[in-house]
Amino acid sequence: MAYKFVDNYREKGARKKLVTQLRDDRKIEDKRVLEAIGRVPRHFFFDETFWNQAYKDIAFPIGEGQTISQPYTVAYQTQLLHVNEGDKVLEIGTGSGYQTCILLELGAKVYTIERQEKLFLRAKLFLSKMGYTAEFFCGDGSKGIPAHAPYDKILVTAGAPFVPDIMLKQLKIGGTMVIPVGDEKTQKMITVIRVSETDYERIELDTFRFVPLVGDQAW
Ligand code: SAM
């Protein structure tokens, strides 16, 4: 992929339109999330040939059989996470690194893990070129990253067959996890809040379609 950091009026205009669409048509209400989406040039994550696709509300291939998530999905998951300035956030499935940028724009300290080495290396290099700082890891994120736990928030950006227990234990008390859970075709978005040392509150929300979470505590 060619790295070309040009953000001209055409891309800025298309980004603004996407934010309006997410707010008015897709009913994303969190202003901070919408503003973050308005600040991150999504076309930077695309080869220049496909810049005209970058501000459509669609997922798009990023190589290795994976995708950059649909903007609506990014907005929806981020809104559920209620990221506060300074939150320690674990992201499972770095992919392109776009979602990582949105979390960083919200003031989070981000730990992000990707199992595919090529994507891990590309995102790590790419985000540093864009001026973003996060902690990047390559490996199986279905077990979380216990060495850096506990986290205020955990965001899983691939479809899991169940909520991994080992990941839940890495949440701070009062912390939130957002994870899509289901079969290979469709998943329900699940929010889990750790309410005490032993208790969790689980809320099941809308249906989505993610690439699979592959690993020890996954498919
Ligand atoms: N958040 C990403 C973005 O903004 O581009 C999109 C992520 S893509 C939908 C899901 C990613 O999860 C893929 O890159 C995939 O390789 C990765 N993945 C799947 N299983 C994983 C695992 N066990 N640990 C870490 N990453 C995993």
Side-chain angles (χ1 to χ4, degrees):
M1 184 183 306
Y3 296 138
K4 196 168 173 196
F5 299 112
V6 177
D7 193 20
N8 62 27
Y9 72 93
R10 208 171 342 117
E11 279 67 43
K12 282 192 173 111
R15 191 156 67 248
K16 215 168 160 188
K17 228 166 128 185
L18 171 66
V19 170
T20 305
Q21 188 187 343
L22 291 172
R23 187 192 61 209
D24 297 350
D25 304 341
R26 308 304 308 259
K27 308 298 175 208
I28 297 295
E29 290 173 350
D30 190 323
K31 238 179 128 202
R32 289 177 67 237
V33 172
L34 291 168
E35 283 167 3
I37 290 173
R39 282 195 297 272
V40 179
R42 190 167 184 261
H43 65 283
F44 286 3
F45 297 84
F46 289 60
D47 188 275
E48 198 181 348
T49 335
F50 299 112
W51 278 10
N52 62 349
Q53 301 295 306
Y55 297 104
K56 291 186 178 165
D57 192 16
I58 52 170
F60 202 80
I62 53 170
E64 312 308 306
Q66 304 304 322
T67 52
I68 179 171
S69 299
Q70 183 181 346
Y72 171 64
T73 307
V74 171
Y76 186 98
Q77 285 200 294
T78 313
Q79 181 166 267
L80 286 176
L81 216 53
H82 298 291
V83 178
N84 297 309
E85 189 90 26
D87 270 358
K88 189 171 162 189
V89 180
L90 172 63
E91 179 194 22
I92 316 292
T94 315
S96 67
Y98 174 71
Q99 170 77 72
T100 315
C101 294
I102 300 294
L103 296 170
L104 290 167
E105 284 286 345
L106 290 167
K109 161 113 179 110
V110 183
Y111 295 75
T112 183
I113 182 163
E114 170 57 54
R115 66 182 281 275
Q116 304 236 29
E117 196 184 8
K118 266 196 186 167
L119 298 179
F120 152 76
L121 289 171
R122 190 162 75 199
K124 187 176 173 183
L125 173 71
F126 193 57
L127 264 65
S128 84
K129 283 192 179 189
M130 280 176 78
Y132 286 109
T133 307
E135 303 294 329
F136 291 88
F137 299 84
C138 187
D140 178 9
S142 72
K143 295 177 279 189
I145 311 182
H148 293 281
Y151 305 97
D152 295 292
K153 311 280 159 68
I154 300 179
L155 175 60
V156 181
T157 71
F162 54 86
V163 180
D165 243 14
I166 188 170
M167 245 193 242
L168 283 178
K169 294 203 167 73
Q170 292 171 42
L171 267 183
K172 286 185 189 170
I173 293 170
T176 302
M177 179 193 290
V178 174
I179 178 169
V181 176
D183 57 29
E184 284 105 323
K185 286 200 181 118
T186 59
Q187 303 86 31
K188 288 275 182 202
M189 198 65 77
I190 307 280
T191 298
V192 187
I193 299 167
R194 185 172 196 175
V195 289
S196 73
E197 195 60 50
T198 49
D199 298 317
Y200 299 88
E201 247 172 49
R202 182 180 161 130
I203 306 161
E204 200 172 294
L205 298 153
D206 297 324
T207 303
F208 287 82
R209 191 191 174 118
F210 280 83
V211 294
L213 183 73
V214 178
D216 186 65
Q217 294 298 304
W219 294 106

